Amino acid sequence: MYTKLHFRPYISNRLVLFPQRIDEDIAENAPVRIINAVIDSLDLENIYKLYSELGRNPYDPGMMLKVVIYAYMSNIYSCRKIEDALKRDVHFIWLAGYEKPDFKTINNFRNRVKDEIGNIFTQLVLLLAEQGLVSLDVEYIDGTKIESKANKYTFVWRKTVEKNRAKLLEKIKMLLRQIDDAVAQDWAAEQEAVEFTPETLSLLIDGLKDALHKEDAPQDKEQKKQRREKKRQIRQLEEHRDKLSEYDGRLEQVGSRNSMSKTDPDAIFMRMKEDAMNNGQTKPGYNLQISAENQFITDFALFPNPTDTLTLIPFFNSFLERYHRLPSVVVADSGYGSEENYRFMDEAGMEPYVKYNRFHLEQRPRYKPNPFHHDNFHYNSEQDYYVCPMGQHMTRIGTSHSKTASGYRSESARYRAQNCKGCPLRCQCYKAKGDRRVIEVNHRLNRYKKTARELLTSKDGIRHRGRRCIEPEAVFGQMKTGMAYRRFRHFGKDKVTMDFAFFAISFNLKKMCSKIAKQAKNGGNTPHFGLFMPVLRFLHSENRIFRKNHQKSVT
């Protein structure tokens, strides 16, 4: 017997296609709901103040903030792609309340809140601290280099600019000697000891033009030729003036740095780990420093330094400005182990689980100290002298001082042997000229290294060293690989900082959602599950932690 086939009715253009409540297709514990609740709990008063009461009604800043943060959580960083998601993705449609801001409005919002988005990040970290997810007492610090949006061929090297500027000044002086005019000769004589500036050259050019204008009209070919030659020299002097102004501007932008990018003056050229050509080519970028705890980003800062040594103290100042306190325990690698940093942490009362440059070498099982290195010489602290491998006393002969790039003055004691002539160990001990070896010892740094060594080899030090590999390193791995955030998309340090602040907020929220989902999957039978209950109550209550009642309407 034949049976007729029946299918479900299919009408693609029916009037009511979506359900009356669009959130029916969104899970109860979906990350978008948690983001909506958490952002509603924050204080957005300063963001509301950025809008004017006049003009057309703007989109709600809270809605825009939720959309941008959720887009960053979804690895969407382009404003045009966010605009498309607001039309196609049900999560974005529900979160935005079916509002459809275009890409330009989204970009303008990000630029508008660039000075306040850091406060939103701080509030979120304080919320995590209140829920017990971070303590802000133990901070794992590390840095990574992220490429700028600028082209890799827009480099400006300070030494090259200084060299070309010196050559240009010589050309200007030679040109003034060639100009047969009393005004130019006077200027050339006055500027022998003082360098030219674009302003002085402008005054000189005006004087030459006035002198040329006052001359009588040329009568013969020879006079016309001389007049044309003077005009050519004035034009050439104007070109030199403009070029000198360009060089001065470049040097002012570079400052104390060695390089910069023409299109992104805040970025400097440095070698990146992501080297596709494997030739060590430098690229414009920023040195991103973060502090992490339980794989949450607790603070971040961007620096134009290719190394990490000079970034630690400014980073702690950023942490202090953000939370009005400093961590009690600091864990970092050997890139931060300098006397200046150790002294700052010691005076601030922090425990420095920070390695120095030879710590890994000393911890190797087959490590044998070099008996000819001055760190391994016997030191008599009472009489202040060293004993070399041959038993000679090395007496103190003075003190040397050095200054770091940040202005910190370091002091080293100098010791000299009595006589090294004829010593059988002379060829192994040192290779410098002279019959008496001289060593320099930084006693303060040695004391700091000893303290750091004792901390790092203790039980807590071993635990912190093991966790350091899975704290900031894991954050960088998830950031670059999991969330595809490998390159900045803005020019200028202020906009780059704004962009990463959005990313840091989304990263912490994504990590929090992941922990909530993991705890819920385990049925709450794991430690600290109760810490997530206040966050989960956001989904069903009107409780707010930070937000104040906003009485003023935004128009």
Side-chain angles (χ1 to χ4, degrees):
M1 182 178 178
Y2 175 75
T3 304
K4 185 177 180 181
L5 293 175
H6 295 276
F7 299 95
R8 294 176 60 87
Y10 169 68
I11 304 175
S12 60
N13 59 348
R14 58 182 176 181
L15 297 179
V16 182
L17 182 62
F18 292 99
Q20 294 182 354
R21 289 180 54 89
I22 196 171
D23 60 338
E24 292 180 0
D25 296 329
I26 301 176
E28 189 68 21
N29 59 348
V32 66
R33 292 184 181 273
I34 299 177
I35 292 170
N36 182 63
V38 171
I39 298 301
D40 281 342
S41 70
L42 303 181
D43 181 12
L44 307 181
E45 187 72 22
N46 291 334
I47 293 182
Y48 283 107
K49 293 179 180 179
L50 298 175
Y51 290 83
S52 173
E53 298 181 353
L54 304 177
R56 183 181 177 182
N57 293 342
Y59 290 101
D60 185 83
M63 179 272 294
M64 298 290 293
L65 185 63
K66 296 175 186 178
V67 168
V68 175
I69 291 175
Y70 185 66
Y72 276 59
M73 283 185 60
S74 305
N75 300 1
I76 301 175
Y77 309 108
S78 169
C79 293
R80 294 181 184 271
K81 291 183 179 180
I82 297 176
E83 179 186 2
D84 293 338
L86 287 169
K87 300 175 182 177
R88 301 179 180 180
D89 194 306
V90 64
H91 292 81
F92 280 93
I93 294 174
W94 174 80
L95 193 63
Y98 206 61
E99 297 286 354
K100 300 177 182 179
D102 59 5
F103 69 93
K104 187 176 181 180
T105 304
I106 297 172
N107 187 52
N108 290 340
F109 170 77
R110 291 194 304 187
N111 293 330
R112 184 192 295 267
V113 301
K114 65 182 180 181
D115 295 330
E116 296 295 337
I117 191 63
N119 181 39
I120 302 300
F121 170 78
T122 304
Q123 291 188 47
L124 178 60
V125 175
L126 292 176
L127 173 62
L128 296 174
E130 183 174 332
Q131 304 306 322
L133 299 176
V134 296
S135 64
L136 300 179
D137 291 330
V138 181
E139 296 301 324
Y140 299 86
I141 299 176
D142 203 357
T144 187
K145 300 172 185 176
I146 300 184
E147 188 177 351
S148 169
K149 184 181 178 182
N151 188 280
K152 60 183 177 180
Y153 298 111
T154 59
F155 47 79
V156 175
W157 302 101
R158 179 167 57 86
K159 291 184 178 180
T160 303
V161 175
E162 291 174 347
K163 181 180 178 180
N164 293 336
R165 186 179 184 275
K167 291 181 178 180
L168 180 62
L169 291 176
E170 291 298 326
K171 290 182 180 179
I172 293 174
K173 293 177 182 179
M174 292 180 60
L175 180 62
L176 292 180
R177 296 191 190 102
Q178 296 173 3
I179 297 177
D180 187 15
D181 190 275
V183 178
Q185 298 302 326
D186 293 341
W187 276 91
E190 294 177 0
Q191 299 295 333
E192 284 295 334
V194 182
E195 286 189 353
F196 287 100
T197 62
E199 292 76 14
T200 58
L201 287 179
S202 297
L203 295 176
L204 173 59
I205 292 171
D206 293 338
L208 292 175
K209 288 182 177 180
D210 292 339
L212 183 63
H213 182 70
K214 293 178 181 179
E215 291 182 358
D216 297 333
Q219 301 298 327
D220 53 11
K221 292 183 177 180
E222 187 64 25
Q223 292 179 354
K224 291 181 179 179
K225 182 179 179 181
Q226 293 178 358
R227 189 178 183 86
R228 287 196 300 270
E229 179 65 17
K230 290 182 178 180
K231 290 183 178 180
R232 185 192 66 80
Q233 292 172 341
I234 292 175
R235 288 196 302 269
Q236 191 173 3
L237 197 59
E238 290 177 340
E239 294 176 358
H240 290 341
R241 177 200 59 188
D242 297 338
K243 198 66 178 177
L244 182 62
S245 178
E246 178 184 346
Y247 286 153
D248 290 343
R250 296 295 188 198
L251 290 176
E252 184 180 357
Q253 288 179 315
V254 172
S256 60
R257 298 176 295 169
N258 293 326
S259 64
M260 74 168 195
S261 172
K262 294 179 183 178
T263 53
D264 190 0
D266 293 333
I268 70 166
F269 278 76
M270 58 184 76
R271 288 181 173 85
M272 305 286 181
K273 291 183 179 179
E274 295 80 9
D275 189 3
M277 301 299 294
N278 198 23
N279 57 359
Q281 184 180 14
T282 57
K283 299 178 183 178
Y286 295 87
N287 187 355
L288 172 65
Q289 298 287 317
I290 69 166
S291 61
E293 185 181 359
N294 293 330
Q295 296 188 12
F296 287 98
I297 301 175
T298 56
D299 195 13
F300 65 90
L302 295 165
F303 298 94
N305 308 92
T307 58
D308 298 332
T309 307
L310 299 177
T311 63
L312 187 66
I313 296 178
F315 184 77
F316 279 136
N317 293 332
S318 171
F319 193 96
L320 179 63
E321 182 180 358
R322 189 182 297 275
Y323 303 112
H324 308 289
R325 52 171 292 193
L326 288 172
S328 57
V329 176
V330 179
V331 186
D333 59 12
S334 58
Y336 303 89
S338 67
E339 178 190 352
E340 181 180 6
N341 294 337
Y342 281 131
R343 183 174 182 179
F344 177 87
M345 291 182 285
D346 180 57
E347 294 178 353
M350 295 182 283
E351 293 186 4
Y353 293 88
V354 180
K355 304 173 185 176
Y356 48 90
N357 52 1
R358 293 179 59 87
F359 177 77
H360 283 293
L361 184 63
E362 295 174 357
Q363 299 303 310
R364 292 179 180 178
R366 298 182 180 180
Y367 171 72
K368 293 182 179 181
N370 182 8
F372 300 103
H373 194 275
H374 61 78
D375 286 343
N376 300 317
F377 290 1
H378 173 70
Y379 176 63
N380 189 319
S381 59
E382 295 180 357
Q383 301 182 16
D384 193 14
Y385 67 84
Y386 277 86
V387 180
C388 75
M390 280 299 295
Q392 289 193 55
H393 286 195
M394 305 182 71
T395 58
R396 183 165 181 171
I397 60 174
T399 304
S400 63
H401 297 85
S402 61
K403 182 184 291 187
T404 64
S406 61
Y408 178 79
R409 290 180 61 85
S410 179
E411 181 179 294
S412 299
R414 302 179 77 246
Y415 298 86
R416 185 172 59 191
Q418 296 177 0
N419 188 11
C420 299
K421 188 175 182 179
C423 178
L425 302 178
R426 167 77 165 74
C427 59
Q428 302 180 53
C429 188
Y430 75 105
K431 298 181 180 180
K433 295 181 180 180
D435 295 333
R436 291 191 291 180
R437 181 181 179 183
V438 178
I439 61 174
E440 293 186 1
V441 181
N442 190 331
H443 291 291
R444 177 180 290 171
L445 179 59
N446 287 342
R447 290 195 298 269
Y448 288 142
K449 285 183 177 180
K450 181 181 179 181
T451 302
R453 188 186 305 112
E454 293 174 353
L455 288 173
L456 290 168
T457 55
S458 64
K459 184 177 180 181
D460 290 338
I462 296 174
R463 177 173 58 85
H464 286 311
R465 283 160 51 193
R467 284 201 58 83
R468 196 199 69 81
C469 301
I470 60 174
E471 287 290 349
E473 296 291 350
V475 172
F476 291 145
Q478 297 169 24
M479 176 179 70
K480 294 183 178 182
T481 303
M483 302 183 71
Y485 195 89
R486 305 183 188 91
R487 186 178 182 183
F488 291 121
R489 296 164 177 81
H490 299 271
F491 294 115
K493 184 179 178 181
D494 54 345
K495 292 186 178 180
V496 169
T497 304
M498 171 271 297
D499 186 67
F500 189 80
F502 274 109
F503 176 83
I505 294 172
S506 64
F507 183 90
N508 286 345
L509 285 173
K510 190 173 184 178
K511 179 67 64 174
M512 185 178 69
C513 294
S514 176
K515 288 183 178 292
I516 291 176
K518 183 177 180 180
Q519 299 289 352
K521 183 179 179 180
N522 295 330
N525 297 324
T526 56
H528 309 297
F529 177 73
L531 299 176
F532 297 100
M533 297 308 296
V535 179
L536 295 176
R537 283 198 295 270
F538 281 147
L539 304 178
H540 305 287
S541 68
E542 296 299 327
N543 295 330
R544 299 293 181 263
I545 293 180
F546 292 108
R547 188 173 182 178
K548 301 176 183 178
N549 293 328
H550 188 70
Q551 303 293 339
K552 186 177 180 180
S553 61
V554 180
T555 58

